[in-house]
Amino acid sequence: MTEKDLPKFYEIFNQILEILSDKQIIHYRVLLKTVVEKYYSDLPQELLDTKTKSGEILIFNRIAWGNIFCSHRFRLFIIYFMIEISGMSRSKAEKKWFVENCWLPADNAFQKKYGFARWQFIEISGDIRNIRTQLLDKIQKINL
């Protein structure tokens, strides 16, 4: 078998869409592994380990290109986060107001017009020892 036996990026759309159809937040690396495990685990390991000229794993490269195309073509739920981790600061309220009332609305209006990913603001303050829990709680509350 050769790299020609690997699916092309445009042949991976349906698999990506099926995995993302439940609208759950999924990390990019998890998407790559899930597509390979669910749809291409029957391919020989040497074929799955084939690399591009730049050294990237070829199947991951094709899934990544398929994901990018799907994202722009089908406007999937991609969200970028601006995360502010802060202690007590005098200008914190002003910064938060500016981000929530000026920057985010302007950027997200541009997103709607041209189909780019939208932005959300998450502020983490106080005790950051449980930052993972705070982030996950705030991410779950976002209306997709």
Side-chain angles (χ1 to χ4, degrees), residues 123-138:
E123 181 183 21
I124 304 293
S125 59
D127 187 4
I128 63 165
R129 286 179 281 185
N130 62 352
I131 191 169
R132 184 175 192 276
T133 306
Q134 292 180 55
L135 283 171
L136 288 174
D137 289 343
K138 293 183 181 194

Side-chain angles (χ1 to χ4, degrees), residues 113-129:
K113 183 174 181 179
Y114 296 103
F116 297 128
R118 79 182 163 133
W119 284 84
Q120 288 288 324
F121 175 69
I122 297 176
E123 181 183 21
I124 304 293
S125 59
D127 187 4
I128 63 165
R129 286 179 281 185

Side-chain angles (χ1 to χ4, degrees), residues 9-18 20-21 23 65-78 111 114-117:
F9 79 92
Y10 55 83
E11 297 171 328
I12 299 176
F13 298 154
N14 290 336
Q15 290 92 358
I16 293 171
L17 291 173
E18 184 178 319
L20 297 177
S21 66
K23 298 183 183 177
W65 278 105
N67 186 40
I68 290 169
F69 184 80
C70 284
S71 299
H72 290 288
R73 179 82 174 140
F74 301 107
R75 293 181 178 45
L76 297 175
F77 298 98
I78 295 176
Q111 173 269 334
Y114 296 103
F116 297 128

Side-chain angles (χ1 to χ4, degrees), residues 23-45:
K23 298 183 183 177
Q24 294 296 312
I25 296 171
I26 184 170
H27 191 277
Y28 172 72
R29 288 186 210 129
V30 174
L31 175 66
L32 293 176
K33 288 176 75 175
T34 304
V35 170
V36 171
E37 289 170 1
K38 190 170 182 179
Y39 299 102
Y40 304 108
S41 60
D42 59 329
L43 293 176
Q45 190 61 42

Side-chain angles (χ1 to χ4, degrees), residues 47-106:
L47 189 58
L48 293 174
D49 291 338
T50 304
K51 298 194 179 210
T52 64
K53 290 179 184 177
S54 64
E56 185 180 4
I57 295 175
L58 184 59
I59 187 73
F60 287 170
N61 176 275
R62 292 187 177 171
I63 295 168
W65 278 105
N67 186 40
I68 290 169
F69 184 80
C70 284
S71 299
H72 290 288
R73 179 82 174 140
F74 301 107
R75 293 181 178 45
L76 297 175
F77 298 98
I78 295 176
I79 300 173
Y80 293 111
F81 292 99
M82 175 185 289
I83 301 172
E84 171 74 21
I85 301 175
S86 61
M88 299 307 278
S89 171
R90 293 179 194 244
S91 63
K92 183 167 72 168
E94 295 165 4
K95 290 177 189 175
K96 183 178 178 180
W97 182 91
F98 179 80
V99 169
E100 290 179 337
N101 296 293
C102 296
W103 190 83
L104 280 176

